Every structure is written in structure tokens, then in C-alpha cells.
Amino acid sequence: MAISNHTGYWRSTPDYDGLMTMAKSDLDKDLQRVAGQENATNQLARSVAAPGIALVFLLGAAVWASYVVVDSPLSYLVIIAAAISGYMAINVGANDVANNMGPAVGSRAITMVGALMIAAIFEAAGALLAGGDVVNTVARDLLTRSDFDGDTFIFVMMAALLASALWVNLATIIGAPVSTTHAVVGGVVGAGLTSGGLDAIAWPMIGAIVASWVISPVLGGVIAAIFLAIVTRTISWRIDKLNAARLWVPIFIAVMTGVFAMYMATKGLTRVWKPGWPTAIALGIFFAGVGWIISMPLIKRQSLKLENRNKHIASLFRLPLIGAAALLSFAHGANDVANAIGPFAAIVSTAQSGTMEAAGITLPFWVLMIGAVGLSLGLVLFGPKLIRIVGEQITKLNEVRAFCAALSAAITVLIASALGLPVSSTHIAVGGVFGVGFLREYYSERHMKRSSVPVYAKYVDPTMLNATPEEALSSDRKRDRRRLVRRQHVFGIAAAWVITVPAAAAISGLVYLLLELTVG
């Protein structure tokens, strides 16, 4: 096409469509640059806003404590400890929220925003309504000496709180879900050793905690794998998956409602109600029946709109999975809020009475409030990173696998409580994710061995198109492709678990010495 310019001469130009394409391409590039700048600005704003909000909360906790505590020579230590306790609560929320919400988010059953909202509400509700049943268990069970004076005991608790918070904060930054309970234990051990020597620590309790490093993830992983194998054999491998789902999904929901009824009775509501095991079992049977009766027509109605495919069948587990995650968050708030406020409550009682024996007798509501608000703030401000790691970066999850992992967490805690075994909820939850991942890997390996299709034809890899079957079989790249669990996360998380207690203990010992030199 030729057009005339203002000089009257003719020149050759692209056609109209070409001009529009070029203009659109330039506009798209400009819009992408603007969008990239906006995303970078938003990320920078969030990275600055989150620590700022957390700092405001810590200052608020200290100011609140200054108005609440009675006048005493040790009141200034309570004010400092309030800020440290708030800092620990934020870190507990940031790290532990991944245990409950990671599988739900990773399976796409719920969005990140929805998970954070549900977790914040149920964590705070659990902490306020049922939290703090035993606020000084760690100190009482780990410290054998009862002759600590008031100042020494407060320094031990402050060092334990600050050291455990620092370690959990570091673990969150590097993306390692660790046991906050073990961090507090390590903090108490380190400060207790520094202040009172070897005789000040109850070493049999430390041995039980070390045993939980193996018991918790293995038991959680095995139970999660067993449930996934049952679901696979009863539904996923059936030709008529829809009819199988109509029969079996209500049964699995009944198991979930019964287990969580027992879980809440024995672990989530212990501050307001402590039933015995016969009562808890009766409650479990009753709620299992209720869950089965209610879910049968709902599952049947929902299945009428689905196709006979595993992806569609998995959506039947979406709502039960969200409910399980919410109940796990409630129970977590009720139990693990003590990791943040237990030592702080001991400090408050000791500062008011001047003796160690009175520590932990009462739990003021304002102390519990600091823990509840800190948990919610921590998970909202800093929780998404760990949620993505647990839910998306260990193994690929769908609603069925995430449901099995969540159910495994509750069952494992119940079994451990009945047998008196020390377990960590963090280790159990992550172990459940590993368990379903390794079972998928086992099924994948077995399927390839039985399949008549050559191994080298199962993967699209341009570098191996001309390879012989022997070369493909010996290829490390092929082997890695068949691994459905990322090994680096297995070893990295396991290493973080093992060093949590000694690392927190070492930090706590240093913090205690600094407190003695500067404050004491």
C-alpha cells in the first residue's frame, strides 16, 4: 500500500493490518512493563508493611502490659517479656499455619486468601476459647530445680522465649516448617543449663522429645498413605467411579467427623471440658453416624453433575477438606498458643509473687489475648511462604491426597495421646504430605514396570529421543522424573527438625548470659 505524505511524494508503507499489529505489540509491551512495575511496587509495599504492622503489635503488647501489671520491682521485665511473647506468637502463626492450610491450598481446594481468613478466625477462636490449659508445662516438666529465685527464673523464661522465637523466625525465612514446641523446649534447656547446670534439666523428658523426631513423621506418613491407598482401591481404580464414590465418600466423611469429634474433645477443648476416653469414643461414634447420614444425600446430589473421572471425583472431598483444615486450626490455636504465652504467663506470676512455685497457676485474659492476636497476625502477614512450601513444593496434591494428610494428622495425635507417645503436630502434618507423595511414587513405579510401553517413551525429553531403552533406563534424568517427592525438601526439613532443639538451646544460653550481664 502507498500513501502520500505532507510533501506530496509517495512512499511505501505497511498495510493497515501490519500497522495495527505493530501498534498492538508495542502497547502490549508497555502494558507488561507497567504491570511489572506495579507488581514490584506492591511486593515491596507488602514486604515493608508486614514487619511494620508486626512492630506496631509488639509495641502495643508492651504498652498494654505496662498498664496491666501491678507495681513491683520486676514490672519492667514483664513489659519486655510481653513484647517477646508477642514476637513468639507471630512466629508460631507464621510457621505452624502451613501444617493445617498447606495441603488445602496446594490441592486448590481453597485460595490463599480464603485459607488465611479461615485460619486467622479459627486460630484466634481456639486460643481464646480453649487455649492455655497448661501454661507452664514446659517449665515444670523440663526444669527439675525449684530453688530458682524470681529473677533467675524470669531470665530463663525470657531467654527461652526470645531464643525460640529467633529460631522459628529463621526457619520461616529459609522455608523450613519446624516444631515450635521443640523450639521452646530447646530454649528452656539452653537457659536452664546455663543458669543451673546439668542437674537443672529433666533429661528423660528430652529423650522422649528426641524420640518424637522419628515417631511423629513416620506415624503421620504411614497413616496418610494407608488412607490414600484405601481411597485409591475403593474409588480411583474402579471402572464406575461415580457409584463407588456415592458409597465410599460418605463413609470417609463419617470417619472424618468421628475422628475430629474425638480430636476436639481430647485436644481442642481441654480448657473447658476434659472427657475421658470412653466419652470421647462415644462422641466419635455419634458424630460419625451424623456425618454419614448428612453426607449421603449431599454426595449423591453433587455426583450427578460430575463425570466418571478421578479429577471430578476428587472435588467431592473439597468441602470436607476445608472443614478438616478449619478444625485443625482451632485445635492448633488451643494447644500451641501455650508455646508463646506459657513462659510469659510464668513470668507474670513470678513477677507478682516473687517465687517460682506460683508460676503458671493463673492465666490472665490479657496474656491469652496477646497470644491469640499474635497467632493471627503471624499467619496473615508471614504465613503464605510456608503454606506454599508444604502445599505445593513437596509433592503434587489434589483434594483426595490433602484430605488423607489432614485426617492423618488428627488420627495420629489421637493414637499418640492414647499410647502416651510424644509427638509433634508439625512433624505429623508434614509427614502426612510426604506419606501420600511416596505412595504416589510407589504406584507410579509399579505402573511403569507393569506397562508394556518402553520407559524411554513415557517422558518427553528431546535429548533422549534417539536413546536406546538401556540408555533411558540408566539415565539419571529419567529417574528424577519418576520421583514425585522432592528429595531436597525431605532432607532439608528433616535437618531443620533435628537441629531445632540444640540450635534453640545454644541461642537461649547466649541470650541468658546477655540478660545476666545487662539486666541482672
Side-chain angles (χ1 to χ4, degrees), residues 45-55 381-382:
R46 285 195 295 267
S47 65
V48 174
I53 295 172
L55 181 59
L381 297 177
F382 307 105

Short mmCIF file of all heavy atoms in Angstrom, two decimals, residues 45-55 381-382:
data_model
loop_
_atom_site.label_atom_id
_atom_site.label_comp_id
_atom_site.label_asym_id
_atom_site.label_seq_id
_atom_site.Cartn_x
_atom_site.Cartn_y
_atom_site.Cartn_z
N ALA A 45 5.86 -2.96 48.86
CA ALA A 45 4.99 -2.39 49.89
C ALA A 45 4.60 -3.45 50.92
O ALA A 45 4.61 -3.19 52.14
CB ALA A 45 3.74 -1.79 49.25
N ARG A 46 4.28 -4.67 50.43
CA ARG A 46 3.93 -5.74 51.37
C ARG A 46 5.11 -6.14 52.23
O ARG A 46 4.96 -6.39 53.43
CB ARG A 46 3.40 -6.95 50.60
CG ARG A 46 1.99 -6.78 50.07
CD ARG A 46 1.41 -8.12 49.65
NE ARG A 46 2.14 -8.68 48.52
CZ ARG A 46 1.81 -8.50 47.26
NH1 ARG A 46 0.77 -7.76 46.94
NH2 ARG A 46 2.53 -9.05 46.29
N SER A 47 6.29 -6.20 51.62
CA SER A 47 7.48 -6.60 52.38
C SER A 47 7.82 -5.58 53.46
O SER A 47 8.39 -5.94 54.49
CB SER A 47 8.67 -6.78 51.44
OG SER A 47 9.03 -5.55 50.83
N VAL A 48 7.49 -4.32 53.22
CA VAL A 48 7.74 -3.28 54.23
C VAL A 48 6.59 -3.20 55.22
O VAL A 48 6.81 -2.99 56.43
CB VAL A 48 7.97 -1.92 53.54
CG1 VAL A 48 8.08 -0.80 54.56
CG2 VAL A 48 9.22 -1.97 52.66
N ALA A 49 5.36 -3.37 54.73
CA ALA A 49 4.19 -3.21 55.60
C ALA A 49 4.11 -4.31 56.65
O ALA A 49 3.76 -4.05 57.81
CB ALA A 49 2.92 -3.19 54.75
N ALA A 50 4.41 -5.56 56.27
CA ALA A 50 4.26 -6.67 57.21
C ALA A 50 5.14 -6.50 58.44
O ALA A 50 4.63 -6.59 59.57
CB ALA A 50 4.56 -7.99 56.50
N PRO A 51 6.44 -6.25 58.31
CA PRO A 51 7.25 -6.01 59.53
C PRO A 51 6.78 -4.78 60.30
O PRO A 51 6.84 -4.77 61.54
CB PRO A 51 8.67 -5.82 58.98
CG PRO A 51 8.66 -6.47 57.65
CD PRO A 51 7.30 -6.27 57.10
N GLY A 52 6.30 -3.77 59.58
CA GLY A 52 5.82 -2.57 60.28
C GLY A 52 4.61 -2.86 61.14
O GLY A 52 4.52 -2.42 62.29
N ILE A 53 3.66 -3.61 60.59
CA ILE A 53 2.47 -3.98 61.36
C ILE A 53 2.86 -4.84 62.55
O ILE A 53 2.34 -4.68 63.67
CB ILE A 53 1.47 -4.72 60.46
CG1 ILE A 53 0.94 -3.77 59.37
CG2 ILE A 53 0.31 -5.27 61.28
CD1 ILE A 53 0.09 -4.46 58.32
N ALA A 54 3.77 -5.78 62.33
CA ALA A 54 4.23 -6.63 63.43
C ALA A 54 4.89 -5.81 64.53
O ALA A 54 4.67 -6.05 65.73
CB ALA A 54 5.20 -7.69 62.90
N LEU A 55 5.70 -4.83 64.15
CA LEU A 55 6.37 -3.98 65.14
C LEU A 55 5.36 -3.17 65.95
O LEU A 55 5.50 -3.02 67.17
CB LEU A 55 7.36 -3.05 64.44
CG LEU A 55 8.16 -2.11 65.35
CD1 LEU A 55 8.98 -2.91 66.36
CD2 LEU A 55 9.07 -1.21 64.52
N LEU A 381 0.39 -12.26 57.94
CA LEU A 381 1.48 -11.46 57.41
C LEU A 381 2.61 -12.30 56.81
O LEU A 381 3.20 -11.92 55.79
CB LEU A 381 2.05 -10.56 58.52
CG LEU A 381 1.10 -9.51 59.10
CD1 LEU A 381 1.78 -8.75 60.23
CD2 LEU A 381 0.63 -8.54 58.03
N PHE A 382 2.92 -13.43 57.45
CA PHE A 382 4.11 -14.18 57.04
C PHE A 382 3.83 -15.64 56.71
O PHE A 382 4.76 -16.38 56.38
CB PHE A 382 5.17 -14.11 58.15
CG PHE A 382 5.50 -12.71 58.60
CD1 PHE A 382 5.03 -12.23 59.82
CD2 PHE A 382 6.25 -11.88 57.81
CE1 PHE A 382 5.33 -10.94 60.24
CE2 PHE A 382 6.57 -10.59 58.22
CZ PHE A 382 6.10 -10.12 59.43
#
